[in-house]
């Protein structure tokens, strides 16, 4: 039987644990209360004004059934809002608020710091190679995910 450290799934899980811990610590030290998923959602809403939550879930590769809770928390924090859709009266469009824009602008240095910390121990070239390999492995397995990454179809 292989050692856990020879299994990509175990290593991916460990790296996820580390990356979340680092992200939360850096963001908290900067005075913010935002999870990595909330950050990804907020940044994606800003980049795609008026998108619906199903599209948002696809763009950040997050489960469609649990994205509602992420959006609820962003709305409660005053960072995003839901508006009736101009295209589908059953749907809601998502918009970033002014407070959400300010938060993204102010939190960026902490998020960038977290990314650097996650790759510490690697040279710049090794970090680029890790990112390339992660993207390649993720692209090859995207459709196997319960929450595959989807392109915007606004």
């Amino acid at each position: 039987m292989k050692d856990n450290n020879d299994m990509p799934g175990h290593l991916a899980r460990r790296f996820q644990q580390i990356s979340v811990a680092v992200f939360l610590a850096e963001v908290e030290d900067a005075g913010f209360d935002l999870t990595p998923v909330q950050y990804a959602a907020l940044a994606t809403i800003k980049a795609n004004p008026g998108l619906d939550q199903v599209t948002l879930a696809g763009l950040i590769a997050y489960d469609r059934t649990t994205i509602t809770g992420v959006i609820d928390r962003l709305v409660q924090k005053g960072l995003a809002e839901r508006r009736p859709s101009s295209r589908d009266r059953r749907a809601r469009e998502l918009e970033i608020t002014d407070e959400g824009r300010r938060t993204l602008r102010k939190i960026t240095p902490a998020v960038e710091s977290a990314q650097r910390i996650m790759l510490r121990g690697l040279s710049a070239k090794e970090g680029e190679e890790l990112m390339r390999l992660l993207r390649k492995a993720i692209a090859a397995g995207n459709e196997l995910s319960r929450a595959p990454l989807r392109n915007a179809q606004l």
Side-chain angles (χ1 to χ4, degrees):
M1 183 166 172
K2 284 187 173 186
D3 179 86
N4 284 338
N5 291 318
D6 293 325
M7 296 181 184
H10 175 75
L11 294 175
R13 182 186 62 80
R14 286 290 298 130
F15 193 76
Q16 167 67 3
Q17 288 175 321
I18 292 165
S19 67
V20 169
V22 167
F23 183 96
L24 293 175
E26 289 298 300
V27 165
E28 184 179 305
D29 285 352
F32 295 95
D33 175 27
L34 215 58
T35 68
V37 173
Q38 290 169 359
Y39 173 81
L42 190 61
T44 302
I45 292 167
K46 180 181 183 251
N48 301 278
L51 82 167
D52 61 78
Q53 64 188 52
V54 171
T55 302
L56 173 62
L59 290 173
I60 65 171
Y62 203 72
D63 186 73
R64 291 169 55 167
T65 59
T66 54
I67 194 69
T68 302
V70 173
I71 297 165
D72 287 345
R73 285 183 284 288
L74 292 174
V75 169
Q76 289 167 358
K77 292 176 182 185
L79 304 176
E81 56 187 30
R82 292 179 177 101
R83 295 183 179 160
S85 172
S86 58
R87 294 169 278 190
D88 180 353
R89 65 181 187 186
R90 298 168 296 165
R92 298 281 181 254
E93 295 177 350
L94 303 170
E95 297 287 341
I96 190 170
T97 63
D98 289 341
E99 182 61 26
R101 281 187 191 79
R102 277 191 293 277
T103 296
L104 280 179
R105 191 172 49 253
K106 291 178 180 179
I107 202 173
T108 296
V111 172
E112 290 172 350
S113 175
Q115 305 315 299
R116 285 190 301 275
I117 293 168
M118 288 173 210
L119 296 178
R120 75 179 182 193
L122 301 178
S123 68
K125 187 174 181 177
E126 289 169 332
E128 290 170 12
E129 181 67 1
L130 174 62
M131 294 297 294
R132 185 187 72 76
L133 291 171
L134 286 170
R135 287 184 192 105
K136 185 176 181 178
I138 289 166
N142 186 53
E143 293 306 318
L144 303 174
S145 173
R146 290 182 13 202
L149 182 66
R150 300 284 182 224
N151 293 326
Q153 297 178 8
L154 300 175

